[in-house]
Amino acid sequence: MDHFNYVGGELFAEGVAVKKLAAQFGTPLYVYSSATLTHHFDVFNSAIPLKNKLVCFAVKSNSNFAVIKTLAAAGAGADVVSEGEIRRALLCGVAPNKIIFSGVGKTAAEMEFALNTGILQFNIESEPELELLSQVASKIGKTAEIAIRVNPNVDAATHGKITTGLKTSKFGIDINLGKAMFDKARKLPNIKPVSVSVHIGSQITDLKPFADAFVRVREFLAELAADGQKIERVDLGGGLGIPYELGKNPPHPADYGKMVQEIFAGLNYKFIFEPGRVIVGNAGILVSKVIYVKPTEEREFLIIDAAMNDLIRPSYYSAHHDIITVRENNNNAAKYDIVGPV
């Protein structure tokens, strides 16, 4: 659901004419719908039928201050990958104990800032990172609560550049080596291993990869319990896809939530989720205007003032985005190749 609709033949964002916004602020222009953001968060949050849960918006999916602030007001935490994103989340009203620090490249300075801030947990991606966090935490007299991010070697069946759960990925620890990582974490000073984390990719349009990964995580949790490891939280990441084209509908969050409940039934953990595009993906539009029509012998180009630096996804991995006119046109329009200045 979104709140961009034609009213009297003119495109509106909620109750505001897009043409009026373009005239006031210029183009290219991003326009976001707070009603859509809030609705999508509420739908996802209510679709997870678990009492003990935390939904953390993946800030990397859209780091706009107004977007984060809107979601924080709706009750979202934040999944971050840098000190800068932690600072953004805090400025936008996210409580420190609702912040998850993910990512493979955390620096010592970022770790120290996060520890002093009092974030909920660090998602550990490698053994050197674990060792460095122990050193930093010991130096400043803090205890770092951590999750070990395990890699279940599951193909998310999405684009190669956004699949993160295979053995060839830079992310996570091979799940078969996970128990040894927990053993090491328990022995390191100022480290408290309390969570298991998994994230296999984004724009996933089939529940099976999720189910395969989550079943393996449940098995791993049983292995840890048998080994005496006390786990408090399970971070299931994000990745649920959204429709970019008519007729291509990924699973509804309710179906995802039902699957999660079935797989983890009977387990008494706090479950963390890190949705990104499923919350924000169709909550905004990029408004551009035509500069020139350039005819050639082979084709006609429509040259607009927005370029790949404004919307990199199509050039980055052939992503599809619908293009519509601000003024509704029901007639058969001419065909153009739409290009930008870059």
Side-chain angles (χ1 to χ4, degrees):
M1 177 181 179
D2 63 58
H3 292 79
F4 300 94
N5 300 290
Y6 288 109
V7 178
E10 188 173 349
L11 185 64
F12 274 69
E14 297 185 24
V16 183
V18 171
K19 184 177 180 181
K20 180 179 179 181
L21 292 171
Q24 182 176 353
F25 297 104
T27 58
L29 172 69
Y30 291 101
V31 178
Y32 297 104
S33 163
S34 59
T36 302
L37 289 167
T38 303
H39 173 75
H40 284 174
F41 176 79
D42 290 343
V43 167
F44 187 92
N45 192 37
S46 62
I48 309 295
L50 301 170
K51 291 183 179 179
N52 197 4
K53 64 186 174 184
L54 172 63
V55 177
C56 294
F57 174 62
V59 173
K60 61 181 174 289
S61 66
N62 193 311
S63 57
N64 180 286
F65 280 99
V67 168
I68 302 170
K69 188 174 182 179
T70 298
L71 292 171
D79 164 49
V80 303
V81 295
S82 69
E83 179 181 331
E85 288 190 355
I86 296 175
R87 291 180 181 274
R88 279 178 178 262
L90 294 172
L91 285 170
C92 292
V94 179
N97 64 358
K98 295 171 75 173
I99 295 176
I100 305 294
F101 196 177
S102 303
V104 300
K106 306 177 190 74
T107 67
E110 289 178 315
M111 290 174 176
E112 183 171 342
F113 177 80
L115 285 164
N116 285 326
T117 299
I119 67 166
L120 180 63
Q121 76 181 32
F122 295 79
N123 287 355
I124 297 299
E125 307 261 6
S126 68
E127 189 170 351
E129 180 192 338
L130 177 62
E131 293 169 347
L132 178 60
L133 180 59
S134 174
Q135 294 169 18
V136 173
S138 298
K139 183 185 75 171
I140 63 174
K142 300 281 187 179
T143 297
E145 294 198 2
I146 70 160
I148 301 295
R149 177 173 174 177
V150 294
N151 188 325
N153 196 32
V154 170
D155 188 350
T158 186
H159 193 279
K161 294 190 178 190
I162 50 176
T163 186
T164 60
L166 294 171
K167 285 186 176 181
T168 53
S169 170
K170 69 180 180 181
F171 298 98
I173 307 293
D174 186 334
I175 198 167
N176 297 314
L177 304 175
K179 197 161 77 68
M181 277 289 288
F182 271 97
D183 289 340
K184 177 165 186 169
R186 280 189 289 186
K187 297 172 184 176
L188 285 173
N190 298 77
I191 294 292
K192 184 180 179 182
V194 295
S195 179
V196 174
S197 168
V198 65
H199 177 69
I200 61 172
S202 61
Q203 189 50 19
I204 302 171
T205 57
D206 184 353
L207 290 180
K208 187 177 186 305
F210 285 120
D212 291 344
F214 294 168
V215 166
R216 183 66 188 96
V217 167
R218 171 152 188 160
E219 294 169 350
F220 181 61
L221 290 167
E223 295 168 13
L224 291 176
D227 197 43
Q229 176 65 49
K230 294 182 179 180
I231 297 297
E232 300 174 11
R233 303 186 284 267
V234 178
D235 184 342
L236 297 179
L240 188 62
I242 64 172
Y244 285 96
E245 298 178 67
L246 291 175
K248 295 185 178 181
N249 295 319
H252 190 276
D255 298 321
Y256 171 84
K258 181 180 178 182
M259 174 204 63
V260 169
Q261 184 183 41
E262 290 174 351
I263 292 175
F264 293 101
L267 299 186
N268 189 27
Y269 301 112
K270 181 170 188 171
F271 287 87
I272 299 169
F273 302 88
E274 300 166 356
R277 83 176 70 208
V278 74
I279 304 295
V280 78
N282 73 335
I285 57 175
L286 172 61
V287 185
S288 180
K289 67 181 179 182
V290 176
I291 305 172
Y292 304 113
V293 178
K294 178 182 177 179
T296 70
E297 290 185 4
E298 297 295 325
R299 63 188 68 185
E300 281 196 284
F301 292 101
L302 209 62
I303 301 174
I304 63 176
D305 63 356
M308 61 183 288
N309 55 302
D310 301 302
L311 185 65
I312 197 169
R313 296 181 69 256
S315 61
Y316 182 54
Y317 45 81
S318 302
H320 174 92
H321 287 270
D322 284 336
I323 300 173
I324 62 174
T325 53
V326 171
R327 190 71 188 172
E328 192 169 19
N329 186 349
N330 296 320
N331 300 322
N332 292 325
K335 290 186 177 180
Y336 300 97
D337 278 15
I338 299 178
V339 299
V342 176

